[in-house]
Amino acid sequence: MTLDRRHFLRTASATAAGGALLALTEPGRATPALAAPGGFPDYRYVRTLLNPDELKYNPTGEIIFPCIRGVYDKLPAPLGRYYLYYAPHDDPGGICLAYADSLEGPFTEYPHNPIVSNHWAPHYNVSHVSSPHVIWHAERRELWLYFHGENTVTRLARSKDGIHFTYDKSVLTAEMLPKGTKETSYARVFQHDLPSHGARYVMVFMRNDGSNHRDIGWGWSADGRNWEFDQEPLIDHAEVGASDVSGAHLLTRNGRTYVVYHTDKGSGGDIHITEVGADFSRRDHLGVFYDSTSASPENGRAAAPSFGTDGGVPYMIYEAGERLSGAIAMARG
């Protein structure tokens, strides 16, 4: 997708949303801020929050897949108002935690990372664990952690404090998808009612089929533990002009349901958006949600977004930079 095409999509979306907003891009200078497709905020990069070379636990010099969660109204004595989960990917990986009192940071690294390692007797002994995604399970008053290790298995662990976890089970494996599937990882789970499926939760994840291209898959669950999965992709890489897509996240706005996800750098390195409908029956590809820049730290790639709101201000926490050599960054809407 060319820059002209991206500009057209973003301009058209701003017009459809009812006009531009104002944002300060230079001291004292107001310029129009176009809305993203679907009327979402136009997120702008502000700063990096975590850099691998500044972390005590840094086995591989890289970190990926942030998940931000407000815990101030859920846990009795949290380390900070916000918990940021992340991980290295390459062996041995390890699920890590940082905390802060604002989504603007600064974030403090938990001193005893990793909180989940690649060896957890007697449950598993794998080369690496990575891609943490945490949800608040209100009925059980627990934080539920979904993570992968190996790339063919997505697992679930549960916690009362967001730090110390009890292993539950594997919830997704490559064997649950068509023969030849090589990877089922980078899963995020959301509470989302699907009455036609008897489900209260939806999972979106990366699937790698026999052609060695990565698509977005999806599944549904009544309880967040036991899952069924669509055998066809939710987002097909070819339909959005990419070689690979990954890092999906579910978003809702004005009663409509969307999935955002990133493309590989060779296909633009941007975050795209598709409207899927409340029942996941639509496939309306709306184009670029967040346009990565060539400047540092993005260097042409933005990926794996997680979203939060602080004081009424929307934020996107995401991977910025080349795969396995970037940082965790923050953009403000």
Side-chain angles (χ1 to χ4, degrees):
M1 181 176 290
T2 66
L3 284 175
D4 288 343
R5 171 68 172 159
R6 291 175 187 164
H7 179 74
F8 169 78
L9 285 168
R10 295 166 79 90
T11 303
S13 297
T15 302
L21 303 174
L22 291 179
L24 287 174
T25 56
E26 297 178 9
R29 181 181 177 186
T31 59
L34 305 179
F40 287 94
D42 185 57
Y43 291 95
R44 302 294 180 93
Y45 166 77
V46 177
R47 66 175 63 93
T48 58
L49 297 178
L50 295 176
N51 289 285
D53 57 5
E54 298 172 356
L55 298 174
K56 176 182 177 182
Y57 180 74
N58 179 21
T60 57
E62 46 85 19
I63 51 176
I64 66 166
F65 212 80
C67 178
I68 191 72
R69 287 292 172 261
V71 295
Y72 53 88
D73 57 348
K74 298 175 176 66
L75 305 180
L79 300 173
R81 289 171 56 83
Y82 296 95
Y83 280 7
L84 175 57
Y85 297 90
Y86 63 96
H89 179 269
D90 284 353
D91 305 354
I95 308 304
C96 297
L97 171 67
Y99 54 92
D101 287 326
S102 167
L103 290 181
E104 298 264 353
F107 278 83
T108 299
E109 180 185 10
Y110 181 64
H112 305 298
N113 282 331
I115 57 175
V116 173
S117 74
N118 61 327
H119 297 165
W120 195 341
H123 308 297
Y124 61 75
N125 185 345
V126 296
S127 69
H128 75 286
V129 292
S130 194
S131 71
H133 179 80
V134 172
I135 67 169
W136 173 247
H137 195 292
E139 291 89 348
R140 295 182 179 270
R141 299 200 60 78
E142 293 177 338
L143 288 166
W144 286 21
L145 165 68
Y146 299 85
F147 62 103
H148 82 249
E150 305 288 355
N151 289 341
T152 54
V153 182
T154 294
R155 306 175 184 275
L156 170 64
R158 296 156 57 178
S159 173
K160 293 291 188 182
D161 64 4
I163 301 171
H164 305 93
F165 284 85
T166 299
Y167 187 78
D168 191 320
K169 60 184 292 188
S170 63
V171 294
L172 168 61
T173 69
E175 288 73 22
M176 296 177 178
L177 294 180
K179 185 177 180 180
T181 300
K182 300 176 181 180
E183 296 175 81
T184 48
S185 51
Y186 301 102
R188 293 194 190 273
V189 170
F190 305 89
Q191 188 168 339
H192 181 86
D193 291 336
L194 279 176
S196 62
H197 292 72
R200 298 183 60 220
Y201 297 90
V202 166
M203 178 190 295
V204 288
F205 60 94
M206 188 196 77
R207 49 183 283 173
N208 181 0
D209 65 16
S211 68
N212 205 32
H213 289 282
R214 291 159 180 86
D215 301 313
I216 303 301
W218 77 289
W220 54 91
S221 170
D223 59 6
R225 297 183 67 246
N226 302 290
W227 293 84
E228 296 180 64
F229 299 98
D230 197 314
Q231 299 301 290
E232 297 296 325
L234 176 67
I235 311 294
D236 185 292
H237 68 281
E239 291 183 2
V240 296
S243 177
D244 298 290
V245 292
S246 186
H249 194 292
L250 188 70
L251 292 176
T252 58
R253 192 173 184 86
N254 299 325
R256 306 177 81 161
T257 305
Y258 306 83
V259 172
V260 296
Y261 48 92
H262 69 260
T263 68
D264 60 288
K265 185 175 179 180
S267 302
D270 300 320
I271 298 173
H272 285 235
I273 182 169
T274 294
E275 184 173 1
V276 298
D279 62 355
F280 277 62
S281 64
R282 301 181 66 168
R283 302 292 184 271
D284 295 340
H285 306 306
L286 303 179
V288 174
F289 176 86
Y290 180 83
D291 195 341
S292 62
T293 69
S294 59
S296 178
E298 292 178 348
N299 298 316
R301 180 178 180 271
S306 181
F307 297 86
T309 301
D310 191 1
V313 177
Y315 292 87
M316 181 176 76
I317 314 299
Y318 65 105
E319 293 177 31
E322 296 272 4
R323 174 170 161 75
L324 305 186
S325 63
I328 303 303
M330 177 264 290
R332 189 190 300 121

